[in-house]
Amino acid sequence: MKIITGRVRGRNIHITDFPLATSIMSLGYQLLAIEPGEKDPKRLEFLFEETEAIDRVVAGYWNGNLLIEPKTFWNIARELKSRIRIIK
């Protein structure tokens, strides 16, 4: 079963959930871009390449099965917030 948590366009998945995006990055996956939302430009979307590995991370996140080192998560969250401030 595939869990869709954002829009998939081409080979990219657009995620609007900040903790999910932080979790994906904390596990070493590269953020491709941060863009304004298509329907709501005030809401940002985090773009990742859609792969089976990221699909498994997303499923693990929603099922509560992800294990992430807390300091890594916190550092990535701070980095993402800094990047968001630059955009706004």
Side-chain angles (χ1 to χ4, degrees):
M1 177 171 72
K2 187 172 185 175
I3 299 173
I4 300 295
T5 61
R7 291 181 299 118
V8 177
R9 196 179 335 145
R11 292 182 46 91
N12 296 335
I13 184 166
H14 298 235
I15 294 176
T16 56
D17 187 90
F18 182 83
L20 174 56
T22 303
S23 297
I24 292 169
M25 290 180 65
S26 296
L27 292 171
Y29 297 99
Q30 182 179 358
L31 176 68
L32 300 176
I34 302 172
E35 297 180 346
E38 203 171 85
K39 291 182 181 178
D40 181 3
K42 293 180 183 177
R43 187 170 184 149
L44 296 176
E45 295 181 348
F46 304 94
L47 278 65
F48 296 92
E49 181 178 4
E50 188 189 20
T51 64
E52 287 184 27
I54 287 183
D55 287 345
R56 285 191 298 273
V57 170
V58 170
Y61 175 84
W62 291 114
N63 292 329
N65 296 327
L66 279 186
L67 295 177
I68 298 174
E69 200 279 321
K71 286 186 206 173
T72 301
F73 183 88
W74 178 244
N75 289 333
I76 297 292
R78 287 193 327 214
E79 175 190 326
L80 263 180
K81 287 179 184 179
S82 293
R83 291 174 72 176
I84 290 168
R85 282 188 209 104
I86 291 169
I87 293 171
K88 290 185 174 185

